[in-house]
Amino acid sequence: IRTFIRTLLAYDPDNPDKPPGVLGRLNAYYGCVEAQGRGSLHCHMLIWLEGGLNPNEIRDRIMGGADEDFTNRLIRYLDDTIATDIPVLHERDRTEPSAPHPCHLRHVRRLPDEEDALYNSRLKKDLSRLAYRTQLHIHSHTCYKYWKGGNSPKTCRFELDEGNIREKTIVDTSTGELTLRQQNGLVNPYNPTLLSALRCNMDIKFIGSGTSAKAILYYITDYITKSQLKAHVAFSALDVAMKRIGAYRPEESSIVDRGKQLLNRCAYAMLSHQELSAQQVASFLMDYGDYYTSHRFKPLQWTHFERFIDDQYHSSECYTSS
């Protein structure tokens, strides 16, 4: 992750003259590490680009053709950043029987004294294989999971279709809506540089409306703040703690001591029942951390903060049921 931030995103606050990264000049980032069901680790990261406008500002500058130069520059940036095609390559080069899966190979390195034409040819061949194996969508039964059958239209729920092709990005100046080009209707949008370096499937989308921006921010915030302890594990641990502490006997301890004992037993039971994968343990022992951030920050105890604000500036409207 640190290599990705340093190399591809080119974030270096101590070197303001450093050329920008793949997506532009980076101002800040925050990423949260999560373990999936099988235990492997992955990162959900939010980045802030220098000069980035919020969706409402973008819409206002596009609507009515008020700023044609800005609209054209935005389209050039999006078309240059997001690819929706597979570089032309012979079918035999894509599916050589003896060739390993391109995701299992390292990215193409330039050889000493190699000519530009030869290097670019190898790079294009590698990118074509990657896009063909990772970005090309193949319909399956999950695509039609919500199909009602009968005469209802049978469409892919991922909105990928052979006929969904747009040769160029379309701008609706009356609504400020941008519809990006789609050169191949079955290709998930990707960035060629990121695909060549990371060698994994991706799905890049342009967030061009306030509604979409709110949805993606909620999604990322939910991942950053959610507990790693599953609900069923927590309730199981609570049940174990209650059984171990036994029935309450007033003659042996006060209600305060009883409460402390229960809290301690619950905490110990939850820790003993929490599942940790080998990857999580190794990451902890190597001191890799469970988040990545460009800035230092202080944790905010939200419930205490909210109670303080309510004590100082109580507002009955906040507690009025609608």
Side-chain angles (χ1 to χ4, degrees):
I1 296 296
R2 293 189 178 96
T3 302
F4 166 75
I5 295 169
R6 183 177 62 253
T7 306
L8 293 177
L9 299 183
Y11 179 78
D12 187 358
D14 298 326
N15 184 10
D17 297 327
K18 184 177 182 179
V22 175
L23 302 178
R25 194 173 297 279
L26 199 66
N27 270 347
Y29 63 85
Y30 182 89
C32 180
V33 179
E34 185 195 28
Q36 65 178 25
R38 291 177 293 177
S40 60
L41 305 178
H42 59 279
C43 183
H44 296 265
M45 181 175 290
L46 184 65
I47 68 173
W48 287 263
L49 296 177
E50 181 180 299
L53 303 177
N54 69 51
N56 290 333
E57 290 176 307
I58 294 176
R59 182 196 60 194
D60 293 341
R61 295 184 67 171
I62 291 176
M63 286 183 64
D67 195 337
E68 187 175 350
D69 179 63
F70 168 80
T71 302
N72 292 332
R73 285 189 289 115
L74 177 61
I75 291 174
R76 287 199 301 272
Y77 168 76
L78 294 174
D79 287 346
D80 180 64
T81 305
I82 303 174
T84 55
D85 67 331
I86 297 177
V88 177
L89 198 65
H90 292 298
E91 186 67 25
R92 64 176 183 274
D93 292 329
R94 287 179 181 163
T95 57
E96 290 181 56
S98 59
H101 195 287
C103 291
H104 299 162
L105 304 174
R106 290 182 177 272
H107 67 276
V108 176
R109 293 176 180 271
R110 187 161 193 160
L111 303 176
D113 302 325
E114 184 177 19
E115 296 182 358
D116 291 343
L118 181 57
Y119 171 70
N120 291 332
S121 175
R122 293 196 302 116
L123 196 65
K124 180 180 178 182
K125 183 177 180 179
D126 178 69
L127 178 61
S128 180
R129 284 179 175 174
L130 276 168
Y132 183 77
R133 297 295 296 272
T134 64
Q135 300 302 122
L136 186 65
H137 178 74
I138 299 175
H139 292 306
S140 66
H141 66 279
T142 59
C143 295
Y144 311 110
K145 181 178 179 180
Y146 304 115
W147 180 50
K148 297 179 180 179
N151 296 325
S152 60
K154 189 176 182 179
T155 57
C156 176
R157 65 190 179 100
F158 303 110
E159 299 181 355
L160 292 168
D161 184 83
E162 296 88 340
N164 183 23
I165 296 177
R166 289 179 298 277
E167 294 297 331
K168 62 180 182 178
T169 299
I170 301 172
V171 181
D172 188 340
T173 56
S174 61
T175 62
E177 182 180 359
L178 273 171
T179 305
L180 299 186
R181 69 179 181 181
Q182 184 73 35
Q183 295 169 290
N184 186 321
L186 291 176
V187 171
N188 281 308
Y190 67 95
N191 177 270
T193 304
L194 291 178
L195 182 61
S196 294
L198 302 180
R199 315 188 77 76
C200 62
N201 171 263
M202 64 184 66
D203 188 358
I204 297 180
K205 294 186 183 299
F206 170 64
I207 306 301
S209 70
T211 302
S212 299
K214 290 176 184 176
I216 196 66
L217 283 174
Y218 176 83
Y219 173 81
I220 294 173
T221 304
D222 181 55
Y223 263 104
I224 290 174
T225 58
K226 76 176 183 179
S227 172
Q228 292 288 340
L229 186 64
K230 303 294 188 295
H232 70 279
V233 176
F235 285 123
S236 175
L238 287 173
D239 181 61
V240 170
M242 292 293 290
K243 289 178 179 178
R244 286 181 178 177
I245 201 170
Y248 173 54
R249 296 182 177 85
E251 66 276 6
E252 294 182 1
S253 61
S254 67
I255 190 68
V256 175
D257 292 335
R258 170 73 174 187
K260 290 180 179 179
Q261 293 174 7
L262 181 60
L263 286 175
N264 285 334
R265 290 293 179 89
C266 288
Y268 295 146
M270 285 184 182
L271 289 174
S272 64
H273 280 66
Q274 187 169 2
E275 297 177 353
L276 293 175
S277 67
Q279 295 94 323
Q280 287 176 285
V281 174
S283 178
F284 176 78
L285 293 176
M286 297 296 290
D287 197 27
Y288 288 156
D290 56 1
Y291 67 89
Y292 297 88
T293 178
S294 57
H295 293 65
R296 300 184 65 181
F297 62 92
K298 295 286 186 180
L300 175 63
Q301 304 296 333
W302 176 253
T303 54
H304 296 168
F305 174 74
E306 188 179 31
R307 188 180 303 116
F308 172 78
I309 294 297
D310 183 58
D311 291 341
Q312 299 296 317
Y313 308 100
H314 180 72
S315 176
S316 58
E317 291 84 356
C318 295
Y319 300 91
T320 303
S321 58
S322 55

